[in-house]
Amino acid sequence: MSWTPISKNEAISWNEKLKNVTAVFNQFPYYTSNEYNSFLSGTRFIKYVANGQDIAYAAIIEIGISPLKIGIIEGGPVLLATGIDMQPLISSLKNFSVKQGYTYLQIRPADNSPVINMLQTDKDFEEKVYFPYHVKDKANLNIYNKPEKELLAGFKMQCRRKMVLSERVGFIYKKADENALNDIRLLFSEVTDNKGYGFRPFKIYEAIYKEGKKYNLCDWYTAYLNNKLVNAVFVVKDGQSYYHYTSALRVTGYHPNESPPAKLHFYAMQDCFYNENKEYYNISYGGSNNLVRFKELFNPVEIEKPPYYTYVIKKNILALLSIFSANYASRFRNIIRLFDNLFK
């Protein structure tokens, strides 16, 4: 029984396999291989094999280079069977991390995963983030699948009013295809220039979309006014849900009270619930104050995620790394993104 690497060709097939288990989008190859794809970050895919059968799977985000290299599992490992003996699985994962030369392995399991109990009792793991280069949302904001009338009734009155006002303007809502990518790219560029929003380089969104669309694992939803794109929402998917990954809005040709985002998210939810039968729409946690207030209009249910657990391997190197504060970690991220833009 051991964790073994998955080849790039085999990794592609896991985009379909993971739809049939409770794997979150963070573990899908279409997503991780394109979000983490730079000279200092990448993704390694592994599987746990016992008696010739695949028992578990994990996407490991790798950041840095030897001797400073970090392994991160976000939303995994993914268990492919029930009744798995967790102790040898975790022990083998620790051994694999040592062989890969990681300074430490940072894991956040999926909600309600049996992996959580194992990490809580394993003395080698600490409930701690040493160097917060990679820390995702601390919670999900879920809107659950209900009949349409009940869904609408659950939104706050202000949300329903925004939808009514937007209907008077004449926005055209569409699920975009690849031909709309240029419109969307220009929208993101304009919003960045005008408002200074810190979007990721658009080529990352484009790469995730082009790969994920092959497996119906992501979509762009758009709102046009007078043949001009004014709002775009990008969702990434797994077997259970849609996740609002990013969005951009241009306020032009209409009053801000008539803005289309509420109706556009509802349009995406209709697809999520009634066409694809997903369990919930995760409108994503956090954002600017205005964005948080907007999300609250849908009355989402906040589900706190499990903590991060860290297995320290190279204590001396980590001692040096831990000198840096969260502020330095943020600067380090920005430096890596700058180099990505220069060299990709």
Side-chain angles (χ1 to χ4, degrees), residues 213-243:
K213 189 62 178 174
K214 298 174 185 176
Y215 311 97
N216 190 27
L217 285 169
C218 55
D219 272 306
W220 284 101
Y221 291 88
T222 58
Y224 282 82
L225 181 62
N226 299 324
N227 295 318
K228 187 172 184 179
L229 181 64
V230 294
N231 193 194
V233 169
F234 187 33
V235 297
V236 293
K237 311 175 189 179
D238 51 42
Q240 298 77 46
S241 70
Y242 277 29
Y243 175 82

Side-chain angles (χ1 to χ4, degrees), residues 60 92-102 105 311 313:
I60 305 180
S92 178
L93 184 57
K94 288 190 288 188
N95 291 336
F96 182 87
S97 301
V98 172
K99 291 178 181 178
Q100 294 304 310
Y102 298 152
L105 176 67
Y311 169 49
I313 301 167

Side-chain angles (χ1 to χ4, degrees), residues 182-309:
N182 190 54
D183 286 350
I184 298 169
R185 185 186 299 106
L186 292 174
L187 172 64
F188 273 73
S189 178
E190 181 179 318
V191 173
T192 299
D193 292 341
N194 292 342
K195 298 184 178 181
Y197 285 174
F199 295 117
R200 295 182 182 276
F202 191 82
K203 58 181 173 286
I204 294 178
Y205 303 140
E206 186 172 12
I208 292 172
Y209 172 75
K210 287 183 176 180
E211 184 64 20
K213 189 62 178 174
K214 298 174 185 176
Y215 311 97
N216 190 27
L217 285 169
C218 55
D219 272 306
W220 284 101
Y221 291 88
T222 58
Y224 282 82
L225 181 62
N226 299 324
N227 295 318
K228 187 172 184 179
L229 181 64
V230 294
N231 193 194
V233 169
F234 187 33
V235 297
V236 293
K237 311 175 189 179
D238 51 42
Q240 298 77 46
S241 70
Y242 277 29
Y243 175 82
H244 165 230
Y245 188 53
T246 191
S247 55
L249 173 68
R250 174 197 289 127
V251 182
T252 180
Y254 62 91
H255 192 277
N257 288 340
E258 302 166 334
S259 189
K263 187 64 181 288
L264 185 58
H265 275 283
F266 178 63
Y267 177 66
M269 288 178 208
Q270 290 174 303
D271 213 12
C272 175
F273 297 147
Y274 313 128
N275 291 330
E276 298 197 19
N277 299 311
K278 304 290 187 183
E279 295 177 18
Y280 58 93
Y281 183 93
N282 183 349
I283 203 164
S284 76
Y285 186 87
S288 66
N289 290 336
N290 287 339
L291 186 56
V292 170
R293 285 194 293 269
F294 169 75
K295 293 175 182 179
E296 289 173 347
L297 297 178
F298 293 94
N299 270 332
V301 178
E302 182 173 330
I303 306 294
E304 187 174 356
K305 292 184 179 181
Y308 286 102
Y309 298 90

Side-chain angles (χ1 to χ4, degrees), residues 21-308:
V21 294
T22 54
V24 295
F25 72 91
N26 309 81
Q27 285 291 297
F28 280 71
Y30 84 93
Y31 172 79
T32 53
S33 62
N34 287 296
E35 177 166 349
Y36 303 96
N37 181 19
S38 73
F39 78 109
L40 278 179
S41 68
T43 309
R44 182 181 298 273
F45 303 101
I46 59 175
K47 61 183 180 181
Y48 184 71
V49 181
N51 299 321
Q53 293 187 331
D54 297 341
I55 302 299
Y57 157 97
I60 305 180
I61 302 161
E62 296 183 334
I63 296 172
I65 55 177
S66 185
L68 174 55
K69 191 176 184 181
I70 299 166
I72 300 166
I73 299 177
E74 183 75 39
V78 179
L79 305 182
L80 307 175
T82 58
I84 298 173
D85 187 350
M86 297 302 302
Q87 187 167 357
L89 183 148
I90 296 299
S91 295
S92 178
L93 184 57
K94 288 190 288 188
N95 291 336
F96 182 87
S97 301
V98 172
K99 291 178 181 178
Q100 294 304 310
Y102 298 152
T103 299
Y104 64 79
L105 176 67
Q106 177 181 307
I107 301 177
R108 176 192 265 170
D111 298 344
N112 303 317
S113 170
V115 176
I116 298 173
N117 292 333
M118 188 65 222
L119 297 181
Q120 286 175 335
T121 57
D122 190 316
K123 294 181 180 179
D124 287 334
F125 280 91
E126 303 175 68
E127 190 178 316
K128 184 175 182 179
V129 175
Y130 279 92
F131 185 64
Y133 177 86
H134 173 97
V135 178
K136 291 290 188 179
D137 297 343
K138 70 176 184 179
N140 292 327
L141 290 181
N142 294 344
I143 301 161
Y144 289 93
N145 190 339
K146 298 176 182 177
E148 190 168 300
K149 287 185 178 179
E150 291 183 33
L151 182 66
L152 283 167
F155 299 162
K156 292 183 179 180
M157 184 183 298
Q158 186 180 355
C159 182
R160 296 195 298 271
R161 178 169 173 76
K162 282 181 175 292
M163 292 170 62
V164 170
L165 290 175
S166 69
E167 288 172 355
R168 299 175 182 175
V169 178
F171 296 109
I172 303 298
Y173 300 95
K174 302 177 182 179
K175 183 160 67 172
D177 58 24
E178 195 168 328
N179 294 327
L181 284 178
N182 190 54
D183 286 350
I184 298 169
R185 185 186 299 106
L186 292 174
L187 172 64
F188 273 73
S189 178
E190 181 179 318
V191 173
T192 299
D193 292 341
N194 292 342
K195 298 184 178 181
Y197 285 174
F199 295 117
R200 295 182 182 276
F202 191 82
K203 58 181 173 286
I204 294 178
Y205 303 140
E206 186 172 12
I208 292 172
Y209 172 75
K210 287 183 176 180
E211 184 64 20
K213 189 62 178 174
K214 298 174 185 176
Y215 311 97
N216 190 27
L217 285 169
C218 55
D219 272 306
W220 284 101
Y221 291 88
T222 58
Y224 282 82
L225 181 62
N226 299 324
N227 295 318
K228 187 172 184 179
L229 181 64
V230 294
N231 193 194
V233 169
F234 187 33
V235 297
V236 293
K237 311 175 189 179
D238 51 42
Q240 298 77 46
S241 70
Y242 277 29
Y243 175 82
H244 165 230
Y245 188 53
T246 191
S247 55
L249 173 68
R250 174 197 289 127
V251 182
T252 180
Y254 62 91
H255 192 277
N257 288 340
E258 302 166 334
S259 189
K263 187 64 181 288
L264 185 58
H265 275 283
F266 178 63
Y267 177 66
M269 288 178 208
Q270 290 174 303
D271 213 12
C272 175
F273 297 147
Y274 313 128
N275 291 330
E276 298 197 19
N277 299 311
K278 304 290 187 183
E279 295 177 18
Y280 58 93
Y281 183 93
N282 183 349
I283 203 164
S284 76
Y285 186 87
S288 66
N289 290 336
N290 287 339
L291 186 56
V292 170
R293 285 194 293 269
F294 169 75
K295 293 175 182 179
E296 289 173 347
L297 297 178
F298 293 94
N299 270 332
V301 178
E302 182 173 330
I303 306 294
E304 187 174 356
K305 292 184 179 181
Y308 286 102

